[in-house]
Amino acid sequence: MTMAQIRPRIAVPRTVLMCRPDHFTVSYRINPWMRPQDPVDTARAVRQWEELYRTYLRLGFDVQLIDPVPGLPDMVYAANGGQVVDGVAHGARFRHGERAAEGPLYMEWFRRHGYDVREPVATNEGEGDFLLVGDTVFAGSGFRSDPASHAEAARVFGREVVSLGLVDPRFYHLDTAFAVLSDGEGEDEVAYYPEAFDEPSRALLASRFPDAILVGEDDAVVFGLNCFSDGHHVVLAAQATGFAAQLAERGFAPIGVDLSELLRGGGGVKCCTLELRS
């Protein structure tokens, strides 16, 4: 994509669900980022999360909150709580027992706020592994969500679901290696880290998104791709400076936020953000 081909960027304020990390810690290890032997600064995690929250408010987002629950330190990663499309909330069913209680709590929140809740059958970890691009859901598997959950999501939402295989345990959810930058306004635009995917998935992504931003390892390992876009502004890890430059070249407005303390649990900007699509 040349400078002459850069499309005008239109910001569309989002409605999102978040959860304060009041009880955040790393007391178990279910991904390579978690090191229970290293003390976590919960107060710092809260301050960093609050900066993300304020950033969304400045962008005009409608930010809804779910109450954090003691003993569920990963509840801050709201994206894993389900996927909401067209007012239908497909609940999450977590792979690891340490997070199992989060699924029913998020589904109860959806019910109380008027969403049509669908109980999950297969293991799926919400928007961690299911990302909507235009009319299509791209779904990850390999570490967390069961491949059977892809067909289940297709039935629930009545949309095409495209399966992608993850092969690097550092990028155990799709949203750590694949980012939706713009959709629904003509050409869908994404970014991804190719080495996180198996060969068939890399070929599929190259075919579907020939103009995608390909992100390097330095930006991927600081969870730069675990970002959130309103179609113009892209909120991402402050440390992902190379990716920020790539975004600016395409006409996006990158906004860096430091969530380094929450990265110690294996999450970043997108992990803390569940989009609510009415």
Side-chain angles (χ1 to χ4, degrees):
M1 183 179 291
T2 67
M3 292 298 291
Q5 295 173 309
I6 292 176
R7 294 164 27 210
R9 303 297 174 189
I10 300 173
V12 179
R14 311 294 185 175
T15 300
V16 301
L17 179 61
M18 300 181 71
C19 181
R20 282 177 57 89
D22 291 339
H23 309 294
F24 177 70
T25 189
V26 177
S27 57
Y28 47 80
R29 193 166 199 252
I30 59 174
N31 68 58
W33 304 96
M34 305 177 88
R35 296 175 58 85
Q37 66 271 31
D38 296 337
V40 169
D41 188 337
T42 302
R44 182 169 185 254
V46 170
R47 290 194 300 272
Q48 292 181 345
W49 178 94
E50 287 176 340
E51 179 57 30
L52 177 62
Y53 173 76
R54 288 191 296 268
T55 298
Y56 286 159
L57 294 180
R58 288 195 296 270
L59 292 175
F61 288 17
D62 177 6
V63 183
Q64 303 290 313
L65 298 174
I66 183 172
D67 292 333
V69 174
L72 296 177
D74 286 347
M75 199 170 169
V76 61
Y77 305 127
N80 305 150
Q83 185 178 32
V84 181
V85 180
D86 299 329
V88 176
H90 188 205
R93 185 182 183 92
F94 286 87
R95 171 74 57 188
H96 296 285
E98 291 89 344
R99 300 195 66 183
E102 296 177 41
L105 290 171
Y106 275 94
M107 282 188 281
E108 177 57 27
W109 189 96
F110 296 142
R111 289 189 185 94
R112 286 191 286 106
H113 289 80
Y115 292 94
D116 177 7
V117 176
R118 309 296 176 85
E119 297 266 355
V121 177
T123 297
N124 86 81
E125 300 203 352
E127 280 198 336
D129 273 329
F130 292 83
L131 294 172
L132 185 65
V133 186
D135 293 326
T136 302
V137 177
F138 286 78
S141 66
F143 298 101
R144 295 296 183 85
S145 296
D146 193 297
S149 67
H150 299 184
E152 183 180 337
R155 293 191 298 271
V156 168
F157 295 121
R159 293 172 181 259
E160 178 189 19
V161 175
V162 176
S163 297
L164 299 170
L166 298 164
V167 294
D168 187 328
R170 297 174 299 174
F171 306 102
Y172 57 93
H173 277 149
L174 180 63
D175 70 355
T176 66
F178 179 88
V180 184
L181 302 177
S182 66
D183 63 84
E185 299 290 339
E187 181 186 355
D188 301 321
E189 294 178 85
V190 305
Y192 62 95
Y193 173 54
E195 285 74 18
F197 297 92
D198 60 25
E199 286 297 336
S201 299
R202 290 168 69 169
L204 186 153
L205 288 168
S207 174
R208 290 258 185 162
F209 306 107
D211 293 322
I213 296 176
L214 304 184
V215 173
E217 184 176 20
D218 287 349
D219 291 310
V221 295
V222 294
F223 272 29
L225 283 159
N226 194 246
C227 59
F228 192 70
S229 174
D230 67 4
H232 179 203
H233 310 94
V234 181
V235 185
L236 76 162
Q239 295 80 4
T241 54
F243 181 33
Q246 290 176 293
L247 290 166
E249 288 174 359
R250 299 289 185 99
F252 292 100
I255 301 173
V257 176
D258 180 12
L259 293 186
S260 52
E261 199 67 21
L262 289 168
L263 177 57
R264 297 174 64 182
V269 170
K270 180 63 186 74
C271 288
C272 294
T273 311
L274 172 61
E275 186 165 3
L276 302 173
R277 305 174 185 87
S278 298

